[in-house]
Amino acid sequence: MGKVLPKILVVDDNNDNLLVFTAYLNDSFRLDTATNGADALEKMQSDNYDLVVMDVKMPVMDGNTATRLYREWEKTTKSERTPIVVVSASAFDYHEQDSIDAGCDVFLTKPIGKKQLLENIKHLLT
């Protein structure tokens, strides 16, 4: 029986971005997707992901709010911390700080190259 691949939730409201992330990650990980923070939060609370890649700006619920609520849920349920990589089109320092304050582990600015994404994921999963 082969090695079980890590499971990653990719969250982005832009279908083109989901396709890019899927192309980058599909060979090395089991993937699930969501298109807004509310759906992501529900999935994160009901399934076990090894890592989450979360866009910041999305309809219904943004990525920072979903991350903050998930971190609170992890504390309340005494769940193991899931690494969260937040991705944003904004490169302003205060946007990065907002994401760090919300509980993300890594903040990456779009466009994100495959090598950069995979290096950050590998670092978080080891």
Side-chain angles (χ1 to χ4, degrees), residues 62-73 98-99 101-103:
D62 67 81
N64 286 341
T65 300
T67 297
R68 187 175 294 106
L69 292 172
Y70 186 65
R71 293 298 184 219
E72 291 171 10
W73 180 85
D98 288 347
S99 295
D101 291 346

Side-chain angles (χ1 to χ4, degrees), residues 16-30:
D16 291 339
N17 289 337
L18 285 176
L19 290 172
V20 169
F21 286 127
T22 299
Y24 285 176
L25 302 173
N26 203 33
D27 291 341
S28 303
F29 304 97
R30 293 177 294 143

Side-chain angles (χ1 to χ4, degrees), residues 24-122:
Y24 285 176
L25 302 173
N26 203 33
D27 291 341
S28 303
F29 304 97
R30 293 177 294 143
L31 299 180
D32 193 5
T33 61
T35 56
N36 65 65
D39 287 344
L41 182 61
E42 184 178 313
K43 286 184 175 200
M44 291 160 58
Q45 291 172 337
S46 64
D47 205 341
N48 292 318
Y49 295 98
D50 297 295
L51 185 132
V52 176
V53 176
M54 177 96 65
D55 185 28
V56 174
K57 286 194 162 202
M58 295 180 288
V60 183
M61 180 186 293
D62 67 81
N64 286 341
T65 300
T67 297
R68 187 175 294 106
L69 292 172
Y70 186 65
R71 293 298 184 219
E72 291 171 10
W73 180 85
E74 284 177 324
K75 287 178 188 173
T76 301
T77 61
K78 295 178 175 47
S79 298
E80 190 173 322
R81 183 180 171 95
T82 301
I84 299 176
V85 175
V86 170
V87 296
S88 176
S90 173
F92 292 112
D93 289 343
Y94 66 91
H95 286 136
E96 180 175 358
Q97 191 58 53
D98 288 347
S99 295
I100 298 295
D101 291 346
C104 84
D105 297 285
V106 172
F107 181 92
L108 299 176
T109 304
K110 294 177 185 176
I112 300 164
K114 181 177 181 177
K115 182 178 178 185
Q116 178 189 24
L117 182 62
L118 290 174
E119 285 175 353
N120 278 279
I121 289 172
K122 182 181 177 184

